[in-house]
Amino acid sequence: MKIAGIEVGTRPLILAPMEDVTNPPFRKFCKKYGADWLYSEFVSADALVRSVNKSVKKLTIDEEERPVTIQIYGRFIDSMVEAAKIVEEVKPDFIDINFGCPVKRVAQKGAGAGLLRDIPLMMEMAKRVVKAVKLPVTAKTRLGWDCENIIIEDIAERLQDVGIQALAIHGRTRSQMYAGEADWEPIGKVKNNPRIKIPILGNGDITSPQLAKEAFERYGVDGVMIGRATIGRPWIFKQIKHYFETGELLPDLSVCEQIEIIKEQIMLSVEWIDEVRGLLHMRRHMASMFKGLPHFRDLRIRMLQAPSIEELWQVFDEIEMRYRDSL
């Protein structure tokens, strides 16, 4: 599949944008294990315009990541336009507008999913950003603000009309946050709408190869976006692709294999930030690993509280010795 002439893969598997997760080290890991298309963390337009260092650093991309998208969010059109121009200078493949973030500090201020309550502003913002840059502009949003306002079909048509070149849809409303099950039926309706010509990407609760296959085959989406299921499990892309190619499920990684991967990921995180913050950043990933191991609670606590690489490596050695023969 191509978007604006840029190849993103056949039945592409896409790393969803996640705050404090999809930084360059993690993106590289997901690419290594088969992700076809990578998204950055979402970046505040206002912070970019003010040259806030933390936000500017989020614009770092590497050639090996391509195709890669940088996603921006904001509530003011002028700052979004200016931020898009700043992003364009670092030459990602796409610029994405976040119309879907549900967290209170974003949505309640009128950015992210908050724009689902002001569709004219959403459309004007998309239109102005598209006109301001030469790079292809995409968008990510939700089904609507709440279950009484499922308006995604209308939104998709209107975003296409103002120049958005691909649309990712999370199968929940803003009010649902991340609770309950994602509803893919409205995503399928958008994809099968004869007026829709742009690629439609589906997002929400893709946690296994079987669910990824169903998303393509049942709902007809052009791409599948995977978010939370990649945390502590970047190899999920490899598992899905193997299933697509062979119809067989790869066995789960052994404890030793998982430790080898997480060690490499930790070192990249520490190199990206520093030891203290790099370890803190990786705790979310480690907390999602080694599930189902018996009598693991004490080791898990020590693993997540280790203050240095040296002490963490000692914990990993104990885990490896105790569970060497476990999956």
Side-chain angles (χ1 to χ4, degrees), residues 43-82:
V43 186
S44 165
D46 290 341
L48 273 188
V49 171
R50 291 185 285 111
S51 299
V52 175
N53 287 338
K54 182 178 179 181
S55 295
V56 172
K57 191 173 183 179
K58 291 181 179 180
L59 303 187
T60 304
I61 58 175
D62 197 297
E63 284 300 312
E64 66 187 86
E65 298 183 56
R66 297 188 185 280
V68 61
T69 295
I70 291 179
Q71 187 188 73
I72 57 175
Y73 74 92
R75 57 176 172 163
F76 300 115
I77 292 176
D78 288 345
S79 62
M80 285 290 285
V81 166
E82 186 62 28

Side-chain angles (χ1 to χ4, degrees), residues 293-305:
L293 293 180
H295 314 296
F296 189 66
R297 183 175 181 273
D298 289 345
L299 280 172
R300 182 180 297 279
I301 291 172
R302 287 175 55 202
M303 177 179 70
L304 297 179
Q305 293 181 348

Side-chain angles (χ1 to χ4, degrees), residues 58-177:
K58 291 181 179 180
L59 303 187
T60 304
I61 58 175
D62 197 297
E63 284 300 312
E64 66 187 86
E65 298 183 56
R66 297 188 185 280
V68 61
T69 295
I70 291 179
Q71 187 188 73
I72 57 175
Y73 74 92
R75 57 176 172 163
F76 300 115
I77 292 176
D78 288 345
S79 62
M80 285 290 285
V81 166
E82 186 62 28
K85 293 178 180 178
I86 294 170
V87 169
E88 187 172 37
E89 293 178 2
V90 304
K91 300 180 180 179
D93 296 285
F94 307 98
I95 296 173
D96 189 80
I97 305 176
N98 182 324
F99 291 137
C101 179
V103 299
K104 186 175 181 179
R105 65 181 175 83
V106 174
Q108 294 289 11
K109 292 181 178 179
L115 283 154
L116 288 165
R117 294 194 291 184
D118 192 341
I119 303 306
L121 179 58
M122 176 191 285
M123 297 306 149
E124 184 62 21
M125 180 180 292
K127 179 180 178 181
R128 291 271 304 278
V129 170
V130 167
K131 287 186 175 181
V133 295
K134 295 179 180 179
L135 288 175
V137 178
T138 63
K140 187 174 188 289
T141 190
R142 289 184 168 231
L143 303 180
W145 179 258
D146 54 36
C147 292
E148 286 70 47
N149 293 278
I150 305 296
I151 55 176
I152 188 58
E153 288 187 76
D154 177 60
I155 289 174
E157 290 187 10
R158 295 174 69 175
L159 286 173
Q160 176 180 261
D161 291 345
V162 299
I164 293 298
Q165 298 201 34
L167 177 64
I169 305 170
H170 186 113
R172 289 181 174 87
T173 64
R174 186 274 164 180
S175 296
Q176 286 178 281
M177 300 292 286

Side-chain angles (χ1 to χ4, degrees), residues 265-276 278-279 309:
Q265 197 175 334
I266 288 167
M267 293 309 297
L268 286 174
S269 179
V270 167
E271 182 182 344
W272 173 246
I273 318 174
D274 56 47
E275 183 169 354
V276 173
L279 289 177
I309 290 176

